[in-house]
Amino acid sequence: TNYPLTLSVDDLGEAGFGLTVQASLPVEASRVCGYMHEALSNLAAALEEAPDRTVTSLAILPPAERHLLLEEWNATEAPYPSDTCIHELFAQQAEKTPDAVAVVHGEEQLSYGELNAQANRLAHYLRTLGVGPDRRVAICAERSIEMVVGLLGILKAGGAYVPLDPTYPPERLTFMLEDSAPVALLVHGEAVPDLASGDLPVVDLGKEGCWRSCPGTDPERGDLTPSHLAYAIYTSGSTGTPKGVMIEHGGLTNLIEAQRVNLGLQPTSRVSQFASFSFDACAFEVVMALCNGGSLHLLASRERLSGESLVRTLSEQGITHATLTPAVLAQMSASPSLERLSTLVVAGDAVSHALVKVWAPGRCFINAYGPTEASIWATMHKCGSDDGKRPPIGRPISNTRVYILDASGSPVPLGVTGELCIGGAGVARGYLNRPDLTGERFSADPFSGDPGARLYRTGDLGRYLPDGNIEFL
């Protein structure tokens, strides 16, 4: 027939009901019978014990499948430095390799020791302005070494940075500045618009100032904990008013530990900094390089042009690790000159099999997925070149849980489309100044044994594949 599934229910009298299913592949008739048996059993129990329950809240998954989806494929617990803040990982690396190159921009570069000392001086000065745990500092800076110093200085002062891209329209920058209510504003670059207003202290990172005479030693942590904010990054606002996503230190330290081995990072690694400062991918590039002893290479605006210009830049600088979007990658050629590019992360959009076929051979090619609200990454998949189809987004990273739920918040059967929901260490605190929206998108995790666990509903659709990988739809 034209129907992919036919169900017959036979009344067997005192013997009960008989279920007969005919189904076209790849649906297995026995699985459908199992779901129906579970549904009818739970319906009978609800009629007896809780007749006011909604039908959609009834469980239909057999216990074994429910355990597989919720527990076995979410068994991601792994040790990570949960008592350490993100900038402390950088300080530890600076102590290990003070003379190693930390950041490169054109002809300029700083060693780990020099970068750490400059960030410390700025941090000591910011504390005199009242910067501390959960207090925000806006930073509007062109791509430069000073941008990195500013980011680290804010974190070391105990504050949370709010990145403002100077290329954004002035009205958007003004909105983010007013909404985030920072303690201070850091600026750098000739193209930075005048954002000073009222009594807000403004620190120009490119000028000689009193902060440069402050001590170069690491500030004391004080009351700062990994549960305090590391940054508040605003979403694009494509679906309405931009929202400030509040990410805590703990989510970032978990990400670093989870990806350290997967990315093959080592002191000889050269990591490109490609993403806009206002995107969380920039934070990923910075911390993955500087917390693992590699060198961070800031690509100038002209070098970030897609196509052959970018290929030439990556080749000339000997980049070993890059994070790019599929759109950018599609405009590049897999030149033999990129032989040192050993690890390529693709994120931000769905990646095609054609791109994997071109770029995966001979290197670690990772398809990564994660909204801003989940501390940059939530899942990853190492792609092969001969899969023959669009790659999945993989499985949850360490200490992360992914559920695929229906509209009532129940797990859907294996292979069925549902909403991707993310739990675990990377879940954001919520949206800055948006309690209603925070309550709508963030909730307690009903499937975790941790009483404080939280869940973020992404709005994205996906489904679990039989091998445990997730297909993004």
Side-chain angles (χ1 to χ4, degrees), residues 203-266:
V203 180
D204 191 331
L205 298 174
K207 294 182 178 179
E208 292 296 330
C210 53
W211 69 271
R212 293 185 182 274
S213 61
C214 290
T217 55
D218 289 320
E220 295 292 331
R221 179 197 270 200
D223 297 330
L224 183 68
T225 72
S227 296
H228 285 113
L229 294 183
Y231 61 71
I233 285 184
Y234 281 80
T235 61
S236 64
S238 58
T239 58
T241 304
K243 305 178 290 290
V245 181
M246 299 184 288
I247 297 295
E248 298 172 349
H249 283 264
L252 295 180
T253 54
N254 176 67
L255 177 68
I256 288 178
E257 190 64 28
Q259 301 310 321
R260 190 189 308 274
V261 176
N262 289 326
L263 297 181
L265 285 156
Q266 50 191 333

Side-chain angles (χ1 to χ4, degrees), residues 90-102 111-113 267 292-294:
F90 162 71
Q92 292 170 9
Q93 186 61 52
E95 185 176 0
K96 291 179 185 176
T97 58
D99 298 325
V101 175
S111 68
Y112 271 86
N292 287 293

Side-chain angles (χ1 to χ4, degrees), residues 373-406:
E373 292 87 345
S375 296
I376 309 173
W377 279 24
T379 71
M380 61 158 285
H381 177 69
K382 289 188 177 181
C383 303
S385 59
D386 56 353
D387 295 333
K389 54 187 177 182
R390 192 177 75 178
I393 58 174
R395 293 171 176 253
I397 66 171
S398 298
N399 301 302
T400 301
R401 298 169 70 90
V402 175
Y403 313 110
I404 301 181
L405 307 180
D406 61 20

Side-chain angles (χ1 to χ4, degrees), residues 62 90 131 371-372 424 444:
F90 162 71
V131 177
T372 305

